[in-house]
Amino acid sequence: MILYQSEIKEALNRKKPIVALESTIISHGMPYPQNVEMALKIEERIRNGGAIPATIALIEGKVKVGLSSSEIELLGKEGTNVYKTSRRDLPYVISKQLNGATTVAATMIIAQQAGISIFATGGIGGVHREGAQTMDISADLQELAQTNVAVISAGVKSILDIGLTLEYLETMGVPVLGYQTEDFPAFYTRKSGFKVDFNMRTPQEIATFLKTKWEMDLQGGVLVSNPIPQKYSMDEQIIDKAIQEALLEAKKRNITGKAITPFLLSYIKKITKGKSLAANIELVFNNAQLAAEVAIEYAKIT
Ligand code: PSU
Ligand code: MN
């Protein structure tokens, strides 16, 4: 059972444009209090863009679509004490009545159940480096293969193996769109050295693509990659060096599994003296803006 904020319930009934937002980015992806500021501001950006924001999380085991500001504050303040919840964790967190922050995968599942097709985030999980040996492949990829939600992200961080991540998506039949770019972006920077499948010039083109896919009953999501704006993008050498150092440190400390991404993010922030966090926040806002535009176009044609 899903608990909807009244504004979202009304928006769903009236088929207004809605953008889903995840909550792991709040609790595990950024430090307090910047995480709470980001979470509140992203909602404002979506509203200013003409759509309704729907931040998704589990509060005392209840599936919530739309959070109050005190619930957002709770997730941000509690940070990694909140249960990082992906597909496999949903029944545990719900039956134990825990607070859970939803990953891209879990947010997609709940968004689809709620009838929300457009979802904005920062970056998705992917195939980790050495993933061919460790088999550390985020459940986000498998979710994109089966759940009908478009995820608007700034590409994939090079803490992951970007090439293998794209190969996996191709195998699973997940289209990778670029917004006004041929290049698949690398989160902190605008280019990864890999190409997107299809370059989309307008939010309308993206909306038409989505409608066409789902009208054909082709199950699964679409990854929309939206490069970080030039003025906020990081120096490639600085970020690459920070990522290398963070990966070494994670290995030294034997950090694996679901803890690895949060560890790398906070370590990279430390090495870059906060620059990576500032870039992360800006790219999230940029994705929210595009997601609002796509949601508006999609609502017009469906
Ligand atoms: N990348 C970020 N920030 C994040 C995440 C990824 O820059 O907060 C989170 C997202 O919620 C994503 C999750 O779905 O990490 C992937 O974790 P894992 O690799 O354990 O599946
Ligand atoms: Mn993993």
Side-chain angles (χ1 to χ4, degrees):
M1 204 190 65
I2 296 178
L3 294 180
Y4 295 95
Q5 228 173 24
S6 59
E7 183 194 25
I8 293 166
K9 180 134 238 177
E10 197 229 84
L12 282 165
N13 288 336
R14 297 188 177 204
K15 306 212 179 317
K16 285 191 195 164
I18 305 174
V19 175
L21 299 163
E22 60 149 313
S23 42
T24 295
I25 190 176
I26 306 173
S27 56
H28 293 68
M30 293 182 188
Y32 182 79
Q34 288 96 329
N35 54 3
V36 172
E37 279 166 35
M38 177 282 302
L40 297 173
K41 263 200 206 147
I42 190 176
E43 291 201 348
E44 199 183 299
R45 294 282 175 115
I46 289 169
R47 261 179 231 292
N48 292 343
I52 312 284
T55 306
I56 292 175
L58 305 160
I59 304 292
E60 293 176 358
K62 295 198 178 62
V63 180
K64 293 222 171 177
V65 174
L67 301 180
S68 66
S69 46
S70 61
E71 288 165 337
I72 286 178
E73 173 75 20
L74 171 83
L75 295 175
K77 213 168 197 171
E78 287 292 311
T80 52
N81 292 329
V82 176
Y83 206 95
K84 178 177 164 185
T85 310
S86 194
R87 169 179 273 267
R88 66 151 184 216
D89 310 296
L90 281 168
Y92 179 74
V93 175
I94 293 170
S95 60
K96 292 282 183 186
Q97 296 169 14
L98 304 176
N99 292 325
T102 50
T103 62
V104 167
T107 307
M108 286 178 77
I109 293 168
I110 296 166
Q112 170 163 275
Q113 287 174 359
I116 303 171
S117 305
I118 314 296
F119 164 19
T121 186
I124 61 160
V127 181
H128 282 262
R129 294 200 194 184
E130 296 169 26
Q133 280 82 47
T134 64
M135 289 189 57
D136 188 350
I137 300 170
S138 173
D140 291 353
L141 299 185
Q142 194 50 41
E143 209 56 55
L144 279 162
Q146 59 183 318
T147 301
N148 301 1
V149 171
V151 180
I152 298 178
S153 82
V156 167
K157 273 179 293 301
S158 58
I159 60 173
L160 301 171
D161 188 317
I162 299 177
L164 284 186
T165 300
L166 291 170
E167 288 294 345
Y168 191 99
L169 291 170
E170 181 186 9
T171 302
M172 292 293 150
V174 179
V176 177
L177 310 184
Y179 181 56
Q180 298 178 345
T181 183
E182 302 281 337
D183 295 294
F184 185 69
F187 199 78
Y188 300 115
T189 56
R190 292 175 60 84
K191 290 184 182 182
S192 64
F194 295 90
K195 297 289 175 197
V196 298
D197 300 326
F198 313 109
N199 179 1
M200 297 281 144
R201 269 158 311 206
T202 62
Q204 195 194 0
E205 266 184 31
I206 297 172
T208 307
F209 184 100
L210 298 176
K211 179 171 184 262
T212 307
K213 170 167 174 150
W214 292 326
E215 272 183 359
M216 282 188 79
D217 276 338
L218 289 171
Q219 295 303 307
V222 171
L223 183 62
V224 180
S225 48
N226 186 29
I228 184 172
Q230 188 76 56
K231 64 176 166 181
Y232 301 120
S233 78
M234 294 187 71
D235 182 284
E236 205 179 301
Q237 273 161 6
I238 291 176
I239 191 65
D240 280 352
K241 196 164 159 271
I243 287 171
Q244 289 299 347
E245 261 178 66
L247 285 166
L248 270 176
E249 190 63 28
K251 216 169 211 176
K252 235 193 259 168
R253 297 194 200 183
N254 224 343
I255 294 168
T256 55
K258 65 193 278 192
I260 187 117
T261 303
F263 171 80
L264 293 173
L265 289 173
S266 89
Y267 204 79
I268 291 166
K269 183 208 160 213
K270 208 164 79 185
I271 303 174
T272 62
K273 300 192 174 66
K275 283 199 185 112
S276 64
L277 177 61
N280 195 345
I281 291 172
E282 291 301 336
L283 67 83
V284 164
F285 291 158
N286 189 49
N287 295 341
Q289 175 66 40
L290 176 60
E293 290 169 24
V294 173
I296 289 167
E297 294 304 324
Y298 188 71
K300 276 188 205 160
I301 57 174
T302 52

